[in-house]
């Protein structure tokens, strides 16, 4: 198990860090290739382990996968009719495959690593069963046994705002008879809908009619934009380290994926989106950020679905502010790769902040941070968020189990050392 020793050098960050391709779009465009036989070409496909796991599952299902650097070409016939699929640490892979396979003839077993096997799967299995799917889980978790059946459309009013649940139902609806309608309490990421050419109506209902919604090969090929969730770590580092500034080009600028920037602006952070342009159904732009004093955050449950992956970053930033920040409706943090809510509270307390949490909220009183030893429990976003906090702390910090960042951002430590030379030392 490796660890990173972070030394706050006081040197400002400047330049433009290399970002991975967007994780959400990489997953979805690759998985949708299961609905076509022609070549799907994805440039700048994410090199994170989760997205590579998706490619491995596609190969197991009969797709031909050609990888050259960050270029992926997917070709092949219909899905193989049986087998075991190792979803590794990727909840997106497991949950979306449940939707894809539920309506196809065959039998499969979905498995995951120790972390993924603790994450809830009934939230996906339940609506799919209502569509006629035969899915058995291990106490609501992986492994999941899927026996493909003919599905029918449903109207499903979800109590949870989850892009993964929504996408699983919509992908199942492509193979179902009749129309499927889906509603969620607050908008979650809608990349699946954009690729399919559908959207929510004025009341928030998404309608998919398989007779009218066709997955076409030429609509799946794309240049994947830079991942805005990965960009969030650099925005935070620049804001917290004096005299820093940077710009990141070619970043996905989908409004719901940049909700964290709205939160930052409300806290007085200077950040700019410029040079926007349309690319394969999404908006892409340049993000500029610079050092600035930061105020407090007050996020409610209606804000959380749009910033769920950036909440660890917002939490460590709030710990550097002069005041009290509150985050409500964050119980979903308990069900990620780790119990992020608990790890954030414990880690920030070790670094000198006052952090308290209950089942559904997090309160942080900011101030001067000092170095500490941080346990990540193998969670990539916890490791990267506390690396940012360590840059703004007094004294060295030690972050454990840092190889976990390869799940989403394999080059993170290399980029950190390039942006702030001498700030990071990796010990194996």
């Amino acid at each position: 198990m490796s660890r990173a020793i972070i030394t706050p050098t006081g040197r400002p960050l400047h330049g433009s860090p290399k970002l991975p391709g967007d994780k959400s779009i990489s997953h979805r465009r690759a998985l949708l290739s299961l609905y076509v036989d022609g070549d799907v070409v994805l440039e700048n496909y994410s090199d994170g382990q989760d997205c590579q796991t998706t490619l491995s599952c596609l190969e197991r299902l009969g797709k031909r996968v050609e990888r050259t650097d960050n270029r992926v070409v997917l070709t092949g016939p219909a899905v193989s009719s049986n087998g075991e699929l190792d979803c590794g640490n990727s909840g997106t892979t497991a949950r979306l495959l449940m939707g894809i396979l539920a309506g196809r003839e065959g039998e499969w077993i979905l498995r995951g690593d120790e972390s993924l096997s603790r994450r809830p799967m009934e939230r996906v299995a339940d609506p799919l069963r209502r569509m006629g799917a035969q899915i058995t889980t291990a106490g609501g978790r992986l492994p999941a046994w899927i026996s493909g059946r003919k599905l029918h459309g449903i109207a499903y009013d979800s109590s949870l705002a989850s892009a993964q649940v929504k996408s699983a139902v919509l992908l199942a609806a492509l193979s179902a008879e009749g129309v499927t309608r889906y509603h969620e309490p607050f908008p979650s990421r809608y990349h699946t809908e954009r690729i399919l050419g559908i959207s929510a109506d004025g009341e928030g209902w998404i309608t998919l009619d398989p007779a009218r919604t066709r997955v076409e090969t030429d609509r799946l090929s794309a240049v994947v934009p830079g991942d805005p969730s990965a960009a969030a770590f650099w925005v935070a580092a620049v804001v917290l380290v004096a005299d820093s500034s940077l710009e990141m080009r070619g970043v996905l600028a989908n409004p719901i994926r940049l909700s964290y920037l709205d939160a930052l602006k409300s806290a007085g952070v200077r950040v700019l989106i410029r040079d926007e342009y349309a690319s394969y159904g999404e908006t892409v732009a340049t993000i500029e950020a610079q050092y600035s004093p930061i105020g407090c955050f007050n996020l409610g449950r209606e804000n959380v679905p749009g910033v769920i992956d950036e909440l660890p970053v917002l939490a460590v930033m709030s710990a550097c502010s002069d005041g009290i920040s509150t985050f409500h409706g964050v119980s979903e943090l308990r069900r990620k790769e780790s119990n992020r809510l608990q790890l954030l509270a414990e880690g920030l307390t070790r670094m000198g902040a006052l952090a308290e949490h209950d089942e559904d909220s997090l309160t942080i009183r900011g101030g001067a941070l000092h170095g500490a030893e941080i346990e990540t429990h193998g969670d990539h976003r916890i490791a990267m968020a506390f690396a940012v906090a360590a840059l703004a702390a007094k004294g060295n910090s030690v972050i454990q189990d840092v190889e976990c960042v390869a799940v989403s951002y394999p080059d993170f430590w290399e980029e950190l050392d390039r942006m702030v030379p001498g700030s990071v030392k990796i010990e194996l």
Side-chain angles (χ1 to χ4, degrees), residues 169-197:
V169 172
L170 294 176
L171 294 177
L174 289 170
S175 302
E177 291 185 350
V179 174
T180 293
R181 302 180 70 231
Y182 189 96
H183 186 271
E184 55 188 346
F186 304 106
S188 63
R189 297 179 183 182
Y190 43 81
H191 301 303
T192 301
E193 296 96 300
R194 283 205 163 175
I195 297 170
L196 295 176

Side-chain angles (χ1 to χ4, degrees), residues 139-364:
R141 294 171 171 78
L142 294 183
W145 293 265
I146 302 171
S147 182
R149 293 287 188 273
K150 188 174 292 294
L151 305 181
H152 56 81
I154 60 171
Y156 188 70
D157 192 356
S158 176
S159 62
L160 180 70
S162 167
Q164 292 180 4
V165 176
K166 176 176 58 177
S167 293
V169 172
L170 294 176
L171 294 177
L174 289 170
S175 302
E177 291 185 350
V179 174
T180 293
R181 302 180 70 231
Y182 189 96
H183 186 271
E184 55 188 346
F186 304 106
S188 63
R189 297 179 183 182
Y190 43 81
H191 301 303
T192 301
E193 296 96 300
R194 283 205 163 175
I195 297 170
L196 295 176
I198 59 178
S199 60
D201 63 21
E203 297 180 348
W205 284 93
I206 303 162
T207 300
L208 190 150
D209 182 349
R212 299 188 177 198
T213 304
R214 303 290 185 182
V215 183
E216 299 177 357
T217 303
D218 59 358
R219 290 193 63 181
L220 295 182
S221 294
V223 177
V224 180
D227 194 316
S229 297
F233 298 106
W234 301 114
V235 171
V238 165
V239 168
L240 297 179
V241 177
D243 300 323
S244 297
S245 64
L246 59 71
E247 68 173 21
M248 293 171 283
R249 303 181 187 90
V251 185
L252 175 66
N254 183 301
I256 201 167
R257 295 292 302 280
L258 292 183
S259 296
Y260 71 90
L261 295 185
D262 294 331
L264 292 179
K265 289 176 182 177
S266 71
V269 172
R270 293 193 292 270
V271 62
L272 175 68
I273 307 297
R274 63 174 176 82
D275 300 336
E276 294 184 331
Y277 62 93
S279 177
Y280 300 95
E282 294 285 358
T283 302
V284 180
T286 295
I287 297 178
E288 286 187 359
Q290 59 183 299
Y291 170 74
S292 59
I294 183 169
C296 300
F297 299 101
N298 184 11
L299 298 186
R301 63 184 66 253
E302 70 278 6
N303 307 118
V304 168
V307 299
I308 191 66
D309 283 341
E310 295 78 33
L311 275 170
V313 171
L314 297 178
V316 301
M317 293 180 78
S318 70
C320 298
S321 70
D322 184 16
I324 299 175
S325 294
T326 56
F327 305 86
H328 297 289
V330 295
S331 61
E332 188 64 16
L333 287 179
R334 299 178 178 275
R335 304 177 184 91
K336 291 292 184 177
E337 286 85 337
S338 69
N339 184 337
R340 287 179 180 167
L341 193 56
Q342 179 178 337
L343 290 181
L344 285 169
E346 291 178 350
L348 291 174
T349 298
R350 289 178 185 174
M351 296 187 78
L354 178 60
E356 300 177 341
H357 69 95
D358 57 26
E359 181 64 29
D360 198 38
S361 66
L362 176 65
T363 302
I364 299 170

